Structures are given as C-alpha cells and as structure tokens.
Amino acid sequence: MGAPTRILLADDHALVRRGLRMILDAEEDLTVVAEAADGTEAVDAATAGGIDLAILDIAMPQMTGLQAARQISRSAPNVRILILSMYDNEQYFFEAIRAGASGYVLKSVADRDLIEACRASMRGESFLYPGAVTALIRDYLERDRRGDPMPNSILTPREEQITKLIAEGNSTREIAEALRISVKTVDRHRANVLQKLGLRDRLDLARFAIRTGLIEP
C-alpha cells in the first residue's frame, strides 16, 4: 500500500469534524492532515500544498463549500473535492458537480458512505448517492425529451477531459500518456462516462462531445 491519502476536513462545527476525523483516521489508506472551520480557511489550506483530497461542508461561514470548491478547482486542480451536505437537494448536487467536486455525500449517512466516496474520488471516479443518480437520470431524460443540449455538469472535469480526448480520436494508451495516468484509470473513466450518459461506445461519445461543445464537428 502506498502513502495514505492526505485529507483536508472543512466544517464549521468542531464536533462534526471530530466525528468525521475518527471515521477517516481509522482507515490505513486515509489520514486527516488539516482542518478548517470556514471556506476561506479551506481554500488557504488546500492551496498551500500537501493535500490530496478536500472534504468541504456545503454550508460554512465566510465562503460556502461550493464557493471554496470552485476556487480550489482553479487554484489547486490536483486536489480532489468531495462536498458534504445535510441536504438531499438536486440543485446543490448539480452545483457541486459543476464546481468541480467528484462526489456529494449526505451527512446523515457519512459513516457509511464517506470512506467509499474518498476512495472513489482518489481513483478518479465519481461518488453518487442513490438520490443523485435518480436526479441525473431524470434530468438527462427531461433534457433529451425537450431536445436541449446535454448539461456538461453531469461529468467531472477529468471525465470531460477524457471524453474530449476520446472524441478527438486518441487511443486509451495515448490518453494515459498525455494525462500521466494508467490505462486502467482511463478505461474506468470511460466506463463511468458511458454509464452516466447512457451511451454505448466511442461514436456515441463523439456525438455527445459535439453536442456539448467539447469538440467542433
């Protein structure tokens, strides 16, 4: 096993941070190395270096978790992001994905889902709780019925990047070399994208990339 994932935990309630830290630190492959009580502190900690994954409460003073996620995505793009929320809310979920988060974890089931979400995020995958999957499918079907363009917020920034490269005709090995990731990781991303979008193959991905403006026709 390699070095454990270095985690920043941001929540304005010290008791919540303490409980989550106990859950995370109990795992050999995860370790909390920094804490923040508001969004501004979270951005400072994430951009200072030494952080692999930022877990951000959605509702924090000074700067919300969503605002912090946007800033971290711009300033420290190598830091993966999970949004932690007490709200099972479709709008918040879509905003979290749009802000660059790779997952949305409900506090009510954090003791069950948080570990899995952390590991999925570090594998370059998305973590979606069942209600979020339902929201994605409903949104997709509704937009398709109306003939609207597919929303790019369905995919994480990394998934968009790989979709674009696939649509441009790059092979799996070429993508892996360009992004400095493994072939297996590229395959996993492609499978996730196909499953999320309900698509079948590279041709479908190319059509999707053209419709959403990832590439020019």
Side-chain angles (χ1 to χ4, degrees), residues 3-16:
T5 297
R6 300 167 297 179
I7 296 173
L8 161 66
L9 190 55
D11 192 293
D12 56 326
H13 294 98
L15 282 175
V16 172

Side-chain angles (χ1 to χ4, degrees), residues 62-189:
Q62 296 195 38
M63 184 185 293
T64 68
L66 293 176
Q67 291 172 317
R70 294 187 193 100
Q71 197 157 325
I72 292 169
S73 293
R74 289 193 300 266
S75 304
N78 291 329
V79 175
R80 306 290 173 85
I81 300 170
L82 289 174
I83 293 294
L84 192 64
S85 176
M86 62 185 295
Y87 307 109
D88 183 355
N89 181 291
E90 290 182 19
Q91 181 179 348
Y92 286 150
F93 163 70
F94 281 115
E95 285 297 324
I97 300 302
R98 192 174 293 116
S102 57
Y104 188 94
V105 181
L106 297 178
K107 283 186 174 181
S108 58
V109 290
D111 58 335
R112 184 191 72 200
D113 288 352
L114 188 56
I115 301 300
E116 180 185 347
C118 289
R119 289 172 177 158
S121 182
M122 294 311 299
R123 290 194 303 264
E125 300 172 3
S126 299
F127 178 84
L128 307 176
Y129 66 97
V133 175
T134 301
L136 280 174
I137 294 171
R138 184 166 57 244
D139 183 74
Y140 174 89
L141 293 174
E142 178 62 22
R143 286 173 181 269
D144 187 60
R145 184 185 65 78
R146 296 197 307 259
D148 292 346
M150 286 299 297
N152 59 15
S153 59
I154 282 182
L155 303 181
T156 66
R158 176 64 100 183
E159 288 169 345
E160 275 194 0
Q161 187 180 30
I162 288 176
T163 299
K164 176 177 170 62
L165 290 168
I166 291 173
E168 289 173 343
N170 294 280
S171 69
T172 299
R173 185 164 297 280
E174 287 170 338
I175 295 170
E177 291 175 354
L179 300 181
R180 297 182 180 179
I181 57 179
S182 70
V183 168
K184 184 179 289 188
T185 298
V186 175
D187 287 337
R188 189 182 297 125
H189 278 302

Side-chain angles (χ1 to χ4, degrees), residues 189-214:
H189 278 302
R190 184 178 64 243
N192 286 343
V193 170
L194 292 174
Q195 182 180 23
K196 277 186 181 183
L197 301 178
L199 304 178
R200 293 171 299 176
D201 52 30
R202 277 178 171 262
L203 183 58
D204 282 349
L205 276 182
R207 292 192 185 108
F208 168 81
I210 291 170
R211 282 207 313 273
T212 57
L214 286 176

